[in-house]
Amino acid sequence: MDDDAFIARLPKAELHMHIEGSLEPEMLFELALRNRIAIPFASVEALRAAYSFERLQDFLDLYYQGAAVLLTEADFFDLARAYFDRAADDGVAHAEIFFDPQTHTARGVPMSVVVEGLLAGMAEAEARHGLSSRLILCFLRHLSEEDAFATLRAAEPWLDRIAAVGLDSSELGHPPSKFARVFEAAGAMGLKRVAHAGEEGPPAYVIEALDLLHIDRLDHGNRSLEDSALTTRLAREAMTLTVCPLSNLRLCVIPEIGSHPIARMLRLGLRVTINSDDPAYFGGYINDNFRAVAPALTRADLVTLARNSFLGSFLPDEAVARHLATLDVYDASGD
């Protein structure tokens, strides 16, 4: 079996995927027409041509512009359904998806529209594909702590359906410490906590996420490798890192895919996972990300990455054990 077929068959979880970032150009145009929203691109091809980024902010500017076509529960349902259909084809058995409510509520879209549309898509994915999923509510770090608190309060009717809070958007200049109090409040509500740190921001941001936000999982974390004591700590504490190779390439975190540190991370004993981040913008879904780094990895490494994805999930222990059992045949056979 070649690597592509091996990766396609490998059961896996996806732990770092922004649902708004799965808005493909074709759907963006379809929803713009449905909702009568003008967009500054003449064609799908012109929009795809704009997907050339030199830094995170370049991407975010286009990302927020694209999200403007999402207005109704049906829009969010269609967005989720398209992602889950693709994920199921990629062998994803469980997904924990980020959503950015502030991106929508700031445009007058009620929280209920966003959440109910996504939950309907999640329910359909479980019914059609047997694919379980969880929601992670992300705070936009370029906005204020006060705005984050308001968002958390607005989400209270759905907290039994939300697994965690997260922290995303522009990293530089917005350290995790800015949101320490809202993360403390979320933890008191029983929510897990994750945060983007160490993508563009320095290792100090990762340390803040650990010590001030008390995160349960680290999103990205690449720059942790610049601090050997921090790297040792992450390995010792079995902190899951949700790494996104094609995102790192498209946002110029790495100069070329061959220089991605995923193999080094594994050798250092880090519990790393492979994810797609914003697949519509970065040129690939989860299996595309696995394939991109596969030349630097062994089959055993690929299985380890899949195992890590379930170990790092927020599933109950018994569900994690069931998923890990599906990987035993790969550990035993090597193919």
Side-chain angles (χ1 to χ4, degrees):
M1 186 191 307
D2 63 23
D3 280 347
D4 284 359
F6 183 83
I7 290 165
R9 287 183 53 193
L10 197 60
K12 56 188 74 74
E14 179 148 46
L15 307 179
H16 185 152
M17 202 289 302
H18 301 266
I19 193 64
E20 294 92 347
S22 67
L23 180 60
E24 291 286 347
E26 292 81 2
M27 180 175 284
L28 192 155
F29 269 81
E30 176 187 332
L31 295 183
L33 182 62
R34 179 198 289 180
N35 294 325
R36 300 182 181 180
I37 295 174
I39 54 177
F41 298 98
S43 66
V44 168
E45 292 72 24
L47 178 54
R48 284 197 187 280
Y51 291 5
S52 179
F53 314 114
E54 294 185 2
R55 59 195 178 110
L56 178 61
Q57 192 59 50
D58 295 340
F59 153 68
L60 289 171
D61 292 342
L62 190 60
Y63 171 90
Y64 294 130
Q65 189 175 58
V69 303
L70 298 162
L71 291 180
T72 69
E73 283 189 29
D75 298 340
F76 288 96
F77 171 80
D78 288 346
L79 179 68
R81 177 173 58 184
Y83 163 70
F84 286 122
D85 286 349
R86 181 64 177 263
D89 287 344
D90 276 356
V92 173
H94 177 71
E96 297 180 0
I97 62 173
F98 297 127
F99 74 111
D100 289 336
Q102 291 155 293
T103 297
H104 313 296
T105 55
R107 300 181 288 111
V109 179
M111 176 79 75
S112 59
V113 167
V114 181
V115 177
E116 293 295 342
L118 295 177
L119 289 174
M122 294 162 66
E124 191 201 47
E126 184 126 33
R128 289 183 62 199
H129 304 298
L131 195 163
S132 62
S133 57
R134 300 287 187 274
L135 276 178
I136 298 176
L137 183 159
C138 283
F139 303 120
L140 299 181
R141 67 202 307 157
H142 67 277
L143 300 179
S144 68
E145 177 194 56
E146 181 183 7
D147 204 322
F149 268 113
T151 299
L152 183 60
R153 288 193 297 270
E156 285 182 6
W158 298 277
L159 289 189
D160 62 327
R161 305 298 307 276
I162 294 173
V165 295
L167 187 63
D168 62 9
S169 189
S170 310
E171 187 180 5
L172 290 174
H174 302 285
S177 53
K178 178 180 174 182
F179 296 92
R181 292 190 301 177
V182 72
F183 266 66
E184 182 181 11
M189 293 175 175
L191 296 170
K192 297 287 190 179
R193 290 163 282 187
V194 305
H196 288 49
E199 179 186 15
E200 286 192 322
Y205 279 21
V206 176
I207 295 170
E208 283 194 4
L210 294 169
D211 293 339
L212 301 180
L213 303 190
H214 303 289
I215 56 171
D216 299 285
R217 199 162 68 207
L218 173 61
D219 298 317
H220 292 298
N222 298 48
R223 292 193 63 190
S224 302
L225 297 178
E226 297 171 19
D227 183 329
S228 60
L230 174 58
T231 303
T232 299
R233 176 185 176 183
L234 291 170
R236 183 180 67 250
E237 296 179 2
M239 175 60 64
T240 298
L241 279 66
T242 62
V243 177
C244 307
L246 291 178
S247 167
N248 294 159
L249 179 65
R250 294 295 291 271
L251 295 181
C252 304
V253 175
I254 56 172
E256 57 185 4
I257 199 65
S259 64
H260 196 279
I262 189 72
R264 181 183 170 204
M265 289 173 161
L266 286 168
R267 302 297 172 259
L268 289 169
L270 294 172
R271 184 188 279 179
V272 291
T273 64
I274 293 287
N275 309 272
S276 64
D277 203 357
D278 298 274
Y281 294 88
F282 298 148
Y285 288 77
I286 190 167
N287 282 2
D288 299 306
N289 279 269
F290 266 89
R291 285 191 286 267
V293 295
L297 303 174
T298 66
R299 291 281 177 91
D301 290 335
L302 297 174
V303 175
T304 295
L305 290 165
R307 291 180 66 84
N308 287 348
S309 70
F310 294 117
L311 290 169
S313 75
F314 296 145
L315 284 167
D317 290 345
E318 60 272 20
V320 171
R322 286 197 302 272
H323 286 298
L324 293 179
T326 67
L327 291 166
D328 287 346
V329 63
Y330 296 89
D331 286 331
S333 69
D335 60 9

